[in-house]
Amino acid sequence: MSVEGLSINFATLRQGGSFGAIVDACLAEGVTAISPWREYVGDLAEATRIVALNGLRVTGHCRGGFFPAADAQGRLAALEANRRAVDEAAALGAACLVMVVGGLPPGSRDLPGARAMVADGMAELLPYARAAGVPLAIEPLHPTYAADRACINTLKQSLDLCDELGSGVGVAIDVYHVWWDPELEAQIERAGRGGRILAHHVCDWLVPTTDPLNDRGMMGDGVIDLRRFRALIETAGFHGPQEVEIFSTRWGTRPIGEVVRTCVERYRTVC
Amino acid sequence: MSVEGLSINFATLRQGGSFGAIVDACLAEGVTAISPWREYVGDLAEATRIVALNGLRVTGHCRGGFFPAADAQGRLAALEANRRAVDEAAALGAACLVMVVGGLPPGSRDLPGARAMVADGMAELLPYARAAGVPLAIEPLHPTYAADRACINTLKQSLDLCDELGSGVGVAIDVYHVWWDPELEAQIERAGRGGRILAHHVCDWLVPTTDPLNDRGMMGDGVIDLRRFRALIETAGFHGPQEVEIFSTRWGTRPIGEVVRTCVERYRTVC
């Protein structure tokens, strides 16, 4: 029996190793919506075949982005990598390409400059993505990642960029990255009004958090009010699956079946 | 010879152990401005005597805050602790009492509720602080501390609260906590316009950051554009000392004289 409304992001199941093995682990627990990362795709034709054969819903493809670079050559290479990511997302029938936009180029302290490179890169990529029918989902990352992963750090900043860019672009809202934002309600409402919500990622914020990257929590184990969050998102008009994305050394080393079962159980009880 | 424009926060020199020992280490390198933490004050009369005897400038006293609590009794206890912190700040002649406002009460997921408790607590404390002549400096903390240390996480949020509260309250701007903020320039300008800038703390953001609390960097070792930051603050009208506050296991275990010398050298070369 299929678990309605739940998607699992491959970052949660890194111990699975391959595209097919991760899909099998999801299907074994009735999870039929997934969100892969590029490094797990391997043979794209084979991955596409697995998706079609099992009637999987692909709630997003991870990831595009990382636009800022130290020189023009680096920025061109990033743009080319993004076009390949768009191609993959299109082949997989993904609902969106998730954009982790990138941080400071090596050696740089120029955050406004990096942000300008992101805006430029998005504008250059967008026509290609529109032509491929792949919406670009800007994912604002928690400010703790501003230097090395994404210099877009709030929903407001993301939506301001969406407004500049026009159609074909929206936001991936991950509770981990934005739960602290004093403008959360207003900006989720704004995102919904503009039809900009493309994905809703869930996990939890642990207290204490011992590692800035790989200590995210299973839903229910932390302090995020997930039900209130879901209500805000649904009131704003987004009713797509909640996608579980947990970067965690702890969960990444447990048996994969146990992790998927726990995701399903927590999805049913606390999300 | 005195080092003009530099203050050292006692959190940077935890290895010093006592109020007198930390002051001695500062004076040995010509640093005559300090910002103590309450746990290092010990005998208040003795600390006050040391300050007066050496003509020290106290750029802030750390800390008040931690208003949210699970019940009314807890909130009353917090308010009483804050009054004692105001008394200490007044006795030491501190330029402000730094407010680390507190996060979620144990077991709570109600962030808006915690923020309301902070606003209430500040409003209750303020008349006492005004009467004592001690400005309260709200320190917005990096969003990574929203759950367990401070649910005030941006300058905008801090200044909105200042506007509600009226006179006798402002902000302590720590580069570590706000450097990522897309609204940094606008909000620093706003803070200056309202005469709300009470302190300017410096350190640096390391890449990678391995520990959310105790891996802050010495100025120059990270990615924050400290000179641009200083220019923003000075353009906004604040010309008080830059106060070095580095929570760091690394620096906290080096010889204290070496740490103070490094602060002075970096202050002169990169701040």
Side-chain angles (χ1 to χ4, degrees):
Chain A
M1 213 187 88
S2 169
V3 182
E4 283 298 314
L6 172 66
S7 172
I8 298 190
N9 183 295
F10 281 23
T12 310
L13 304 172
R14 287 180 285 189
Q15 64 275 67
S18 74
F19 194 94
I22 295 176
V23 166
D24 284 346
C26 289
L27 289 174
E29 302 299 330
V31 176
T32 57
I34 59 167
S35 181
W37 279 66
R38 295 193 68 194
E39 52 266 50
Y40 292 104
V41 166
D43 178 348
L44 180 60
E46 170 69 2
T48 305
R49 196 187 64 78
I50 291 173
V51 167
L53 190 69
N54 296 285
L56 299 177
R57 178 171 179 175
V58 180
T59 54
H61 189 42
C62 299
R63 59 170 174 66
F66 276 75
F67 293 105
D71 55 29
Q73 196 183 346
R75 288 189 291 278
L76 272 177
L79 200 59
E80 186 51 30
N82 273 291
R83 291 202 185 96
R84 296 295 74 76
V86 167
D87 294 342
E88 273 185 23
L92 291 166
C96 60
L97 176 64
V98 175
M99 307 300 288
V100 175
V101 299
L104 294 165
S108 168
R109 292 188 174 89
D110 182 7
L111 195 57
R115 286 168 171 164
M117 289 185 206
V118 168
D120 290 348
M122 286 290 296
E124 286 193 79
L125 179 64
L126 192 51
Y128 189 86
R130 281 184 189 135
V134 175
L136 301 179
I138 300 170
E139 183 171 17
L141 252 55
H142 195 284
T144 210
Y145 306 117
D148 50 358
R149 283 185 177 75
C151 57
I152 302 268
N153 305 104
T154 65
L155 271 173
K156 177 173 190 299
Q157 192 187 7
S158 307
L159 293 167
D160 288 349
L161 182 53
C162 287
D163 286 349
E164 273 178 46
L165 292 168
S167 67
V169 59
V171 291
I173 305 181
D174 186 317
V175 299
Y176 193 83
H177 296 306
V178 303
W179 74 279
W180 59 271
D181 189 345
E183 299 189 29
L184 188 65
E185 292 191 37
Q187 296 299 328
I188 288 180
E189 195 202 335
R190 173 187 172 194
R193 223 165 37 231
R196 300 283 194 189
I197 306 179
L198 299 176
H200 173 194
H201 297 182
V202 293
C203 66
D204 215 333
W205 183 279
L206 299 178
V207 177
T209 290
T210 57
D211 181 272
L213 183 60
N214 287 306
D215 193 29
R216 300 187 193 174
M218 180 62 68
M219 299 81 73
D221 289 346
V223 298
I224 302 178
D225 188 342
L226 294 166
R227 287 225 169 105
R228 173 172 173 267
F229 210 109
R230 178 185 190 163
L232 290 174
I233 297 252
E234 293 190 346
T235 301
F238 182 80
H239 296 274
Q242 295 186 62
E243 178 183 318
V244 179
E245 185 181 44
I246 307 176
F247 283 80
S248 165
T249 305
R250 191 178 330 185
W251 289 101
T253 49
R254 291 201 185 174
I256 190 167
E258 179 195 333
V259 179
V260 178
R261 274 192 298 281
T262 308
C263 289
V264 171
E265 186 241 323
R266 298 298 178 85
Y267 166 68
R268 286 185 164 139
T269 53
V270 304
C271 290
Chain B
M1 214 187 88
S2 170
V3 182
E4 283 299 313
L6 172 66
S7 172
I8 298 190
N9 184 295
F10 281 23
T12 310
L13 304 172
R14 288 181 285 190
Q15 64 275 66
S18 75
F19 195 95
I22 295 175
V23 166
D24 284 346
C26 290
L27 289 174
E29 302 299 329
V31 175
T32 57
I34 59 166
S35 181
W37 279 66
R38 295 194 66 195
E39 52 266 49
Y40 292 103
V41 166
D43 179 348
L44 181 60
E46 170 68 1
T48 305
R49 195 187 64 79
I50 292 172
V51 167
L53 191 69
N54 296 286
L56 299 176
R57 178 171 179 175
V58 180
T59 53
H61 189 42
C62 299
R63 59 171 174 64
F66 276 75
F67 293 106
D71 55 29
Q73 196 183 346
R75 288 189 291 278
L76 273 177
L79 200 59
E80 185 51 29
N82 273 292
R83 291 201 185 96
R84 296 295 74 76
V86 167
D87 294 343
E88 273 185 23
L92 292 165
C96 61
L97 176 64
V98 175
M99 307 300 288
V100 176
V101 299
L104 295 165
S108 168
R109 291 187 174 90
D110 182 7
L111 195 57
R115 286 168 170 164
M117 288 184 206
V118 169
D120 290 349
M122 286 290 296
E124 286 193 79
L125 180 64
L126 192 51
Y128 189 86
R130 281 184 189 135
V134 175
L136 301 179
I138 300 170
E139 183 171 16
L141 253 55
H142 194 283
T144 211
Y145 306 116
D148 49 358
R149 283 186 175 76
C151 57
I152 302 269
N153 305 104
T154 64
L155 271 174
K156 177 173 190 298
Q157 191 187 7
S158 308
L159 292 167
D160 287 350
L161 182 53
C162 286
D163 286 349
E164 274 178 45
L165 292 168
S167 67
V169 59
V171 292
I173 304 181
D174 185 318
V175 299
Y176 193 83
H177 296 307
V178 303
W179 75 280
W180 59 271
D181 189 345
E183 300 189 28
L184 187 65
E185 291 191 37
Q187 296 299 328
I188 288 180
E189 194 202 336
R190 172 187 172 194
R193 223 164 38 230
R196 300 284 193 188
I197 306 178
L198 299 176
H200 173 194
H201 297 182
V202 292
C203 66
D204 215 333
W205 183 278
L206 299 179
V207 177
T209 290
T210 57
D211 181 272
L213 183 60
N214 287 306
D215 193 28
R216 300 188 194 174
M218 180 63 68
M219 299 81 74
D221 290 345
V223 298
I224 302 178
D225 188 342
L226 294 166
R227 288 226 169 104
R228 173 172 173 266
F229 210 109
R230 178 185 190 163
L232 289 174
I233 297 250
E234 294 190 345
T235 302
F238 182 80
H239 296 273
Q242 295 186 63
E243 178 183 318
V244 179
E245 185 181 44
I246 307 176
F247 284 79
S248 165
T249 305
R250 191 178 330 184
W251 289 101
T253 49
R254 291 200 185 174
I256 190 167
E258 179 195 332
V259 179
V260 178
R261 274 192 298 280
T262 308
C263 289
V264 171
E265 186 241 323
R266 298 298 178 87
Y267 166 69
R268 288 185 164 140
T269 53
V270 304
C271 290

